[in-house]
Amino acid sequence: MKNLPTKADILSFIEDNPTKTNKRDIARAFGIKGAARIDLKRMLKELQNEGHLEKRRKTYREDGALPPVSVCRVTGADGDGDLFLEPVEAGDTPPRVLFIAKDGDPALAEGDRVLCRLTKVTGEDYAYEARLIRRIAGSPDKILGIFRAGADGGRVTPIDKGDGKEWRVPAGAMSGAKDGELVEAEQTGPKSRMGLPVARVLARLGDPNGPRAVSLIAIHQHGIPDAFPEDVVAEAEAAKPVALGKREDLRDLPLVTIDPSDARDHDDACYAHADDDPKNKGGHVVWVAIADVAHYVTPGSKLDIEARKRGNSTYFPDRVVPMLPDALSGDLCSLHEGVERPCMAVRMVLNADGTKLSHRFTRGLMRSPAALNYEEVQEGQDGTPNDKVAPLMEGVIAPLFAAYEALKTAREHRQPLELDLPERKIAMDDAGKVTSVAFRDRLDAHKLIEEFMVLANVCAAEELKARNTPLLYRVHEEPSPEKLETLREIVQASGLTLAKGQVLQTRHLNRLLEQAAGTDQAELINISALRSMTQAYYGPQNFGHFGLALRDYAHFTSPIRRYADLIVHRALISAHKFGKDGLVDDDLKSTGEHISMTERRSMVAERDTTDRYLAAYLADRVGTEMEGRVSGIAKFGMFVKLDGSGADGLIPIGTLGREYFAYDRDAQTLRGEKSGVVIGLGARVLTRLAEATPITGGLVLELLELEGKALPQTGGRGRGGSPKGRKTGKFKAKGAKLKKKLKRKRT
């Protein structure tokens, strides 16, 4: 046929007309009719075989090119604020797509899916520009799991303890994942009630059993940003030391830092001395100086945007994911020994009983004479100072403890909640293997710093409140009536009392904790009291802090690791006209909600990591008998907190003897139907470790003894069976015989 186009003509047409790429459109464009369509089909097939075209759903386009209308996933913004997308069905090496927003487009967040019209571009660091047709949905379900290769792609097995369903990964959606690798994947396509859900691999995270993989799992699982953009790092590294200028010169004050021995950043320092005012006999002057992060992280800067995004630093046994790059968090913003550092400081005057009489904020320049750790300070106070602490005892350490003794008096009068919940300490070797699990010592040196920091935080809130300056308060509301009723039921079951019919105050809870102290119920009561508390949060409205028994409270003392403290620093700068880098945030409510979320995210990630490290530590102890106490009751079993390690393990209800156990939600008990045995919170148990799965953090236990006695063997079935009146294996068998009988009658 004479008017049959050349292959070059066809390729040129497809490139110029990306919306008309099926065989019918191509034939119409070149006037090809009848039998000539067979020749066209042959040419298209040849172009496909030669690699110039690929066929998809009866359309043709350039090999590797995307369809003009595609579903994309938002990958996030770059340092300039430009939003980029990634085509969902683009294989292992998706091209970069710039999103071009127009007026009226909705705000998009990382992970959102959008239907876009794509335009190919050249000469840029991206391949396409996208314009929104419509937003399809929010972030799709994500999964962190182990990839298992197969003939038709692969499978991903989740690492979450409660998720046993596998996900299918088609060929071409594996992103090069290898068998046994830890991967991050996301759902593709709609959910289906039939068959396995379909996913595509987003990221390969390496060997799940490799050194320090546990915290990496938590980082990816909870979406914690752990890599700083290059422009953020560059901005941090361009920062310079601060000169005195208009700041108050505090370099002669012996402001010492007291931190854990392995701390890399030091954001608070303190100093105390006796008040020489004759009107305040026995009084104290306490200085608390905090790193002036606001000087370096200014509103709207790249550092500020990234710090707000992270909300806070996240701490794992083997690493820290910081809120700020190391050039700031580990250097210029850290109050290192012997170097000049900018600070925000508060001078507080206390009377002999620890009541604060006055305070004054300043923006200064300090030079710490010593970086100390809690243990050496405590040893010095106990009479065995080392060479570093000894010269500081009379002029620095002793006055700090004297001021602390006064603050203890004020604390006893205030009666904040006194929970006794020791913190676990996981020790690891250089290879990332857990070598020991213990509980951290609670020294007076720890309490001293805590009291000084609480007082400084109170001063910040009171100061800004008095000056009518907006800020983010640290809010902790009182427990709900429902949670209090649950706590009372647990308390009564333990043989203790919690007063009813009055406004609950922390002193009532402290009285309860004193009753339980030294008894077998002490740990249970402390945990139950903690669970009855509401979650603290950040907000611009002041509802007080129930746990600390304070009306006005804000976070001021840790701006290196908490964005909320940076907001309070900026508010103080604005209120006192300390500089031009004060508060400009006009949506503190939104900021408070965001950083409250990031704080909860970090808490869950840290807890999950601890569970996994504990499971790894106990993995080679499977079969060992361990004592513990029942810490939780659920319909599917009971949780036991093991002595020594503090790890939580599950005893599945199906393994509890040979009878049916009924779950009582209100009483938080399991009751044996035949034996009458009742298992409640706080019960002492002897268990055997049956399973320890480091990748999920799961521990499965077998119950050996309850309160020193073995469970009675009553016969019958366990929880996997059922009590009278429910469907059982016997009833099902009778049903099968009845069906056969009816079938014979019909035939």
Side-chain angles (χ1 to χ4, degrees):
M1 183 177 177
K2 291 183 178 179
N3 64 342
L4 200 65
T6 65
K7 291 181 180 179
D9 292 335
I10 294 173
L11 291 174
S12 179
F13 171 79
I14 290 174
E15 186 175 358
D16 294 339
N17 299 273
T19 62
K20 297 179 179 180
T21 56
N22 62 40
K23 188 170 68 175
R24 181 182 298 175
D25 290 331
I26 296 169
R28 186 181 294 121
F30 291 101
I32 301 173
K33 299 178 181 179
R37 289 176 178 266
I38 298 174
D39 294 324
L40 175 62
K41 184 177 181 180
R42 174 185 53 76
M43 293 180 68
L44 292 173
K45 185 68 174 176
E46 290 174 359
L47 285 169
Q48 187 180 349
N49 292 336
E50 293 166 2
H52 296 298
L53 293 179
E54 63 175 343
K55 184 178 181 181
R56 189 177 291 186
R57 295 183 181 179
K58 296 185 178 181
T59 67
Y60 294 86
R61 63 173 183 267
E62 290 178 276
D63 185 30
L66 297 174
V69 175
S70 295
V71 176
C72 296
R73 182 176 67 89
V74 179
T75 58
D78 65 4
D80 297 324
D82 291 329
L83 199 63
F84 283 88
L85 316 177
E86 179 182 278
V88 170
E89 298 182 2
D92 289 349
T93 55
R96 201 162 182 242
V97 180
L98 174 67
F99 179 69
I100 307 296
K102 60 181 184 294
D103 291 343
D105 281 351
L108 300 179
E110 185 174 345
D112 284 352
R113 292 192 171 203
V114 291
L115 184 66
C116 288
R117 190 172 302 281
L118 302 181
T119 304
K120 194 170 184 179
V121 296
T122 58
E124 302 288 348
D125 62 350
Y126 51 88
Y128 292 87
E129 291 180 348
R131 286 171 172 77
L132 182 68
I133 296 176
R134 69 174 182 274
R135 183 174 181 268
I136 298 175
S139 302
D141 290 343
K142 287 190 176 182
I143 177 177
L144 201 67
I146 307 301
F147 179 78
R148 295 299 179 189
D152 58 344
R155 299 281 191 275
V156 176
T157 303
I159 62 170
D160 284 333
K161 282 182 274 192
D163 190 352
K165 181 184 287 187
E166 287 189 334
W167 294 54
R168 182 172 66 86
V169 180
M174 299 185 295
S175 297
K178 297 179 180 178
D179 187 70
E181 279 191 320
L182 180 68
V183 299
E184 183 182 24
E186 72 171 7
Q187 173 195 333
T188 58
K191 290 184 178 179
S192 173
R193 296 173 62 184
M194 304 295 291
L196 297 178
V198 181
R200 67 187 287 258
V201 174
L202 296 175
R204 299 166 56 194
L205 306 178
D207 181 2
N209 298 311
R212 308 183 187 278
V214 171
S215 54
L216 185 64
I217 289 172
I219 287 167
H220 282 267
Q221 186 175 19
H222 297 284
I224 296 172
D226 65 329
F228 286 102
E230 290 183 5
D231 53 357
V232 174
V233 174
E235 191 171 278
E237 292 179 345
K240 304 295 182 186
V242 174
L244 179 62
K246 296 181 179 180
R247 294 173 178 271
E248 184 172 350
D249 192 346
L250 306 177
R251 289 174 290 185
D252 290 335
L253 290 182
L255 290 155
V256 295
T257 63
I258 306 176
D259 293 290
S261 57
D262 58 353
R264 292 191 68 249
D265 57 81
H266 309 274
D267 51 10
D268 58 82
C270 55
Y271 166 61
H273 62 84
D275 191 1
D276 56 7
D277 186 345
K279 296 180 181 178
N280 187 27
K281 188 176 181 180
H284 306 269
V285 175
V286 176
W287 282 86
V288 170
I290 308 298
D292 189 358
V293 176
H295 173 81
Y296 294 104
V297 184
T298 55
S301 65
K302 291 178 173 61
L303 280 165
D304 180 44
I305 293 169
E306 183 69 16
R308 185 186 185 278
K309 175 184 175 182
R310 294 175 178 233
N312 50 265
S313 298
T314 306
Y315 294 85
F316 300 107
D318 64 331
R319 74 178 78 199
V320 177
V321 180
M323 186 180 77
L324 300 173
D326 187 65
L328 295 183
S329 61
D331 188 9
L332 287 179
C333 290
S334 191
L335 307 179
H336 291 309
E337 178 180 327
V339 294
E340 294 181 358
R341 288 290 183 259
C343 64
M344 292 282 292
V346 56
R347 180 183 185 272
M348 301 169 287
V349 179
L350 316 177
N351 67 13
D353 295 329
T355 301
K356 179 171 68 70
L357 302 179
S358 64
H359 67 258
R360 174 178 70 86
F361 280 91
T362 186
R363 202 173 192 182
L365 188 70
M366 61 166 284
R367 181 173 51 233
S368 176
L372 308 175
N373 64 59
Y374 291 114
E375 290 76 16
E376 63 186 353
V377 169
Q378 188 64 55
E379 289 169 2
Q381 179 64 13
D382 293 342
T384 56
N386 61 21
D387 292 342
K388 187 174 185 178
V389 173
L392 301 170
M393 283 303 304
E394 182 178 353
V396 178
I397 305 300
L400 285 174
F401 276 93
Y404 167 60
E405 288 299 320
L407 283 175
K408 280 172 61 178
T409 303
R411 179 186 177 92
E412 289 167 5
H413 177 74
R414 194 175 85 242
Q415 284 278 304
L417 188 59
E418 300 281 5
L419 291 173
D420 182 18
L421 294 169
E423 181 185 356
R424 268 183 302 224
K425 180 180 180 180
I426 296 177
M428 306 175 68
D429 60 22
D430 293 339
K433 182 179 179 180
V434 179
T435 56
S436 67
V437 177
F439 291 97
R440 295 182 186 275
D441 293 330
R442 190 90 167 98
L443 306 174
D444 281 344
H446 291 100
K447 299 174 184 178
L448 178 153
I449 294 299
E450 286 177 6
E451 285 303 307
F452 287 174
M453 297 306 113
V454 166
L455 188 61
N457 287 336
V458 169
C459 291
E462 290 179 348
E463 180 79 0
L464 294 171
K465 179 181 177 181
R467 292 173 176 266
N468 293 318
T469 302
L471 75 147
L472 283 176
Y473 290 96
R474 180 62 167 176
V475 180
H476 184 225
E477 300 185 61
E478 62 273 8
S480 68
E482 294 78 16
K483 287 191 174 183
L484 280 179
E485 191 57 38
T486 300
L487 176 61
R488 285 194 178 94
E489 290 172 356
I490 294 172
V491 168
Q492 290 172 2
S494 302
L496 303 173
T497 57
L498 177 62
K500 195 173 182 180
Q502 59 183 334
V503 177
L504 183 75
Q505 296 181 3
T506 49
R507 70 170 183 270
H508 301 137
L509 291 171
N510 286 339
R511 200 170 299 139
L512 167 66
L513 297 172
E514 288 172 7
Q515 293 177 46
T519 70
D520 287 344
Q521 309 301 321
E523 185 177 16
L524 168 66
I525 297 301
N526 275 271
I527 292 174
S528 300
L530 177 65
R531 288 175 177 170
S532 72
M533 296 295 106
T534 60
Q535 178 76 51
Y537 63 92
Y538 297 104
Q541 289 185 290
N542 185 17
F543 297 113
H545 198 293
F546 175 82
L548 291 175
L550 292 168
R551 289 180 301 178
D552 306 306
Y553 195 66
H555 275 164
F556 159 74
T557 55
S558 296
I560 290 178
R561 62 184 180 92
R562 291 188 306 224
Y563 193 78
D565 303 55
L566 178 56
I567 290 289
V568 170
H569 277 232
R570 289 174 178 168
L572 289 167
I573 291 168
S574 295
H576 293 88
K577 296 181 172 53
F578 284 150
K580 297 180 180 180
D581 45 0
L583 185 66
V584 296
D585 192 336
D586 58 358
D587 191 4
L588 288 178
K589 183 175 183 296
S590 175
T591 297
E593 290 172 350
H594 172 72
I595 61 178
S596 297
M597 178 278 293
T598 62
E599 178 187 49
R600 289 190 290 271
R601 177 180 68 184
S602 293
M603 289 172 61
V604 173
E606 290 165 1
R607 185 189 64 209
D608 288 353
T609 299
T610 298
D611 288 347
R612 290 190 174 101
Y613 274 124
L614 287 172
Y617 177 66
L618 296 172
D620 58 358
R621 293 165 175 79
V622 170
T624 303
E625 294 184 3
M626 301 178 179
E627 293 186 346
R629 192 178 295 279
V630 176
S631 60
I633 300 287
K635 191 174 183 180
F636 50 82
M638 62 184 186
F639 293 95
V640 173
K641 184 172 288 294
L642 298 173
D643 296 346
S645 67
D648 290 299
L650 171 67
I651 300 178
I653 200 168
T655 66
L656 294 178
R658 302 182 63 192
E659 64 174 323
Y660 176 80
F661 276 81
Y663 169 56
D664 188 328
R665 181 191 297 272
D666 294 331
Q668 286 289 287
T669 60
L670 294 171
R671 179 183 292 274
E673 185 185 59
K674 295 182 179 179
S675 66
V677 169
V678 177
I679 304 173
L681 294 172
R684 290 292 303 174
V685 294
L686 176 65
T687 69
R688 180 183 291 117
L689 180 60
E691 295 178 25
T693 312
I695 197 70
T696 65
L699 299 177
V700 178
L701 306 171
E702 176 187 350
L703 181 63
L704 301 179
E705 293 181 0
L706 175 67
E707 298 291 0
K709 298 178 181 179
L711 287 182
Q713 299 299 311
T714 59
R717 300 181 65 87
R719 186 65 165 102
S722 299
K724 295 177 182 179
R726 297 175 184 256
K727 289 184 179 180
T728 66
K730 183 187 289 187
F731 294 159
K732 290 178 182 177
K734 286 183 177 180
K737 289 181 179 179
L738 181 60
K739 287 179 181 178
K740 284 185 178 180
K741 187 175 181 180
L742 291 172
K743 187 175 182 181
R744 284 198 298 270
K745 282 186 177 182
R746 285 197 296 270
T747 56

